[in-house]
Amino acid sequence: MIALTLAEIARVTGGELRTAGEHTPDTVVDGTVDTDSRLIEPGGIFAAKPGAETDGHRFIGKAIERGAVLALVERPTDDAVSQIVVPGVVSALADLARHVVARVRDGGALTVVGITGSNGKTTTKNLIARILTDEGPTVYPHASFNNEVGAPLTMLRVRHDTRYLVCEFGASAPGEIARLAGLVTPDIGVVLMVGMAHAGGFGGIEATVKAKSELVGAIRPGGTAVLNADDPRVAGMATLARGRGVEVRWFGRGAAADVRADEVVVDAAGTSCTVYADGTAASLRLRVLGEHHVMNALAAIAVATRIGVTLAECTSRLETVELAERWRMQPLGTERIRIINDAYNASPDSMAAALRTLAQIVGPGERTVAVLGAMSELGEYADDEHDRVGLLAVRLNIQRIVVVGQDARRMYLEAIAQGSWDGEAVFFPDADAAFEYLVAELREGDRVLVKSSNAAGLRHLGDRLGESVS
């Protein structure tokens, strides 16, 4: 974080300052801010956030042991550290993040990029960061820090020399993206796609469209909206952008896009294509597995070329990326038996993309195995969408379908209902039972996809399988 006095932090957060030791209101702090006491570093600021399962106030002592010099609290404690008592720690983080980013922006050349979409946010964030890091100091989220806590914590990592801040904005209800993006008013806003992810929380697909468009509404006038030309729901957001004096920059597979891809070829080692941007062309060999990541790469290139990075520089940097993020199309195991662990998140769209990738990368004499768990936050759409995944797996001729968990059982039922399919589907109530089956079942030449939402916990099953066949 940038250097601020204790008094200034108290004023910005609307809190009451209680100094400890040699501290005075004029004491300056500039350490990193975190809600996890285990991650606090010397000089750090600990945000004692109450939670559903535990209370951050219980861990102030641990934060002090790791070097915390200030705690944001909702009630004063007896711990020997300066404290700012605020009405709400989460709101205080947002207020502090807004202030810090504004200060850095006023005094430097900071460009803020915001990203949202039903799928692909984290991968696109990492691809943009990979390109921009070579241009100057870049701050971007760890993992999927995209909610009301994670996004402000990322913003608070900027310093006066930061040139680029890349923010990922997720949401499970209307209004959340508007609040988060409103903290930084992005110069560039990226909307990747609108699908069924979180549709249950939003109340349907049209409400999801409205929620994702909140990012476009938060872009500062004169900024740029980078929109998916291939998704009609996203393309419709251009009217909102232009009505606010925001430029529209298109990415997609079609000829009308400002940044597009052609000649796409997928294999087990990655995806090759030719990228066209503003009248120039370059070949791209993505090592990140899956054809769907081409669109994420196009979005990243659309952002970077808008900033001034050449297409050749974009593609050469993207080709160094080996993994988008842990548990996202992560190759494990060996060439003998390859495990693809993509079980950090799942929606109907990402599930379909992963299954299609599995079908594309199999070679002669190799077998496709899909280990599938539940998709979360679909609400009333859950039954139909799980049915569709089971049907798609059969239509793609996935040779073994292993469904794990009661919430995913409909995938199994739909698969076995397809009488013309000559493959095999099995169901297990939990990951341990599925693991025992798979260890005995897998054979040389198998290509195994493990895919589910985070809540289903199959990412750990994928890790175990990777270790077992290595």
Side-chain angles (χ1 to χ4, degrees), residues 131-252:
I131 298 172
L132 296 183
T133 297
D134 285 0
E135 298 295 306
T138 301
V139 171
Y140 59 100
H142 299 303
S144 292
F145 270 35
N146 61 21
N147 63 11
E148 63 180 358
V149 175
L153 290 180
T154 298
M155 298 167 190
L156 287 167
R157 288 168 44 215
V158 302
R159 294 186 176 274
H160 288 295
D161 66 345
T162 302
R163 282 192 61 190
Y164 304 104
L165 169 62
V166 183
C167 297
E168 179 183 339
F169 299 125
S172 57
E176 292 182 15
I177 292 174
R179 286 193 296 273
L180 294 175
L183 301 177
V184 292
T185 56
D187 300 282
I188 301 173
V190 183
V191 184
L192 296 169
M193 56 92 69
V194 175
M196 292 298 295
H198 310 301
F202 285 121
I205 195 68
E206 293 307 318
T208 305
V209 173
K210 185 176 180 180
K212 299 303 181 184
S213 70
E214 291 170 7
L215 175 57
V216 177
I219 299 171
R220 57 178 47 201
T224 302
V226 174
L227 302 179
N228 183 347
D230 297 349
D231 186 331
R233 298 184 179 106
V234 175
M237 299 177 192
T239 301
L240 172 62
R242 292 175 178 135
R244 302 184 63 256
V246 171
E247 172 197 14
V248 175
R249 186 161 173 77
W250 300 103
F251 69 95

Side-chain angles (χ1 to χ4, degrees), residues 358-370:
L358 178 63
Q360 288 174 318
I361 66 173
V362 68
E366 297 175 347
R367 183 176 65 162
T368 51
V369 180

Side-chain angles (χ1 to χ4, degrees), residues 93-103 155-156 179 182-184:
L93 287 173
D95 292 337
L96 187 58
R98 180 189 294 108
H99 177 77
V100 166
V101 172
R103 282 275 297 272
M155 298 167 190
L156 287 167
R179 286 193 296 273
L183 301 177
V184 292

Side-chain angles (χ1 to χ4, degrees), residues 41-356:
E41 298 176 353
I45 301 169
F46 177 57
K49 181 182 76 70
E53 298 181 1
T54 189
D55 186 344
H57 293 76
R58 296 175 51 204
F59 300 97
I60 294 174
K62 295 294 185 183
I64 295 171
E65 291 176 6
R66 294 193 58 86
V69 297
L70 175 65
L72 296 176
V73 300
E74 294 185 5
R75 61 180 184 274
T77 72
D78 294 332
D79 297 285
V81 66
S82 292
Q83 302 176 23
I84 296 177
V85 185
V86 296
V89 167
V90 173
S91 296
L93 287 173
D95 292 337
L96 187 58
R98 180 189 294 108
H99 177 77
V100 166
V101 172
R103 282 275 297 272
V104 173
R105 212 175 210 158
D106 288 344
L110 179 67
T111 296
V112 179
V113 179
I115 306 164
T116 196
S118 298
N119 297 301
K121 295 183 293 297
T122 298
T123 297
T124 304
K125 169 261 297 184
N126 287 335
L127 297 179
I128 292 173
R130 173 61 194 92
I131 298 172
L132 296 183
T133 297
D134 285 0
E135 298 295 306
T138 301
V139 171
Y140 59 100
H142 299 303
S144 292
F145 270 35
N146 61 21
N147 63 11
E148 63 180 358
V149 175
L153 290 180
T154 298
M155 298 167 190
L156 287 167
R157 288 168 44 215
V158 302
R159 294 186 176 274
H160 288 295
D161 66 345
T162 302
R163 282 192 61 190
Y164 304 104
L165 169 62
V166 183
C167 297
E168 179 183 339
F169 299 125
S172 57
E176 292 182 15
I177 292 174
R179 286 193 296 273
L180 294 175
L183 301 177
V184 292
T185 56
D187 300 282
I188 301 173
V190 183
V191 184
L192 296 169
M193 56 92 69
V194 175
M196 292 298 295
H198 310 301
F202 285 121
I205 195 68
E206 293 307 318
T208 305
V209 173
K210 185 176 180 180
K212 299 303 181 184
S213 70
E214 291 170 7
L215 175 57
V216 177
I219 299 171
R220 57 178 47 201
T224 302
V226 174
L227 302 179
N228 183 347
D230 297 349
D231 186 331
R233 298 184 179 106
V234 175
M237 299 177 192
T239 301
L240 172 62
R242 292 175 178 135
R244 302 184 63 256
V246 171
E247 172 197 14
V248 175
R249 186 161 173 77
W250 300 103
F251 69 95
R253 300 284 289 272
D258 299 299
V259 179
R260 64 183 180 89
D262 199 359
E263 302 169 322
V264 178
V265 178
V266 181
D267 58 39
T271 306
S272 299
C273 63
T274 301
V275 178
Y276 300 87
D278 307 312
T280 62
S283 61
L284 173 63
R285 175 64 175 172
L286 275 178
R287 289 194 272 178
V288 180
L289 192 61
E291 181 178 357
H292 51 291
H293 288 308
V294 169
M295 289 295 284
N296 299 330
L298 294 178
I301 293 169
V303 170
T305 50
R306 174 65 182 83
I307 288 171
V309 185
T310 68
L311 176 59
E313 289 169 329
C314 289
T315 55
S316 66
R317 294 170 192 175
L318 291 178
E319 288 180 346
T320 68
V321 179
E322 298 182 12
L323 179 66
E325 188 86 28
R326 187 182 180 191
W327 299 317
R328 288 176 171 85
M329 299 302 286
Q330 180 180 5
L332 300 170
T334 66
E335 284 304 310
R336 188 178 65 86
I337 300 177
R338 174 65 70 197
I339 310 296
I340 304 167
N341 194 352
D342 192 32
Y344 186 83
N345 213 339
S347 69
D349 296 295
S350 68
M351 188 74 81
L355 285 169
R356 291 191 181 99

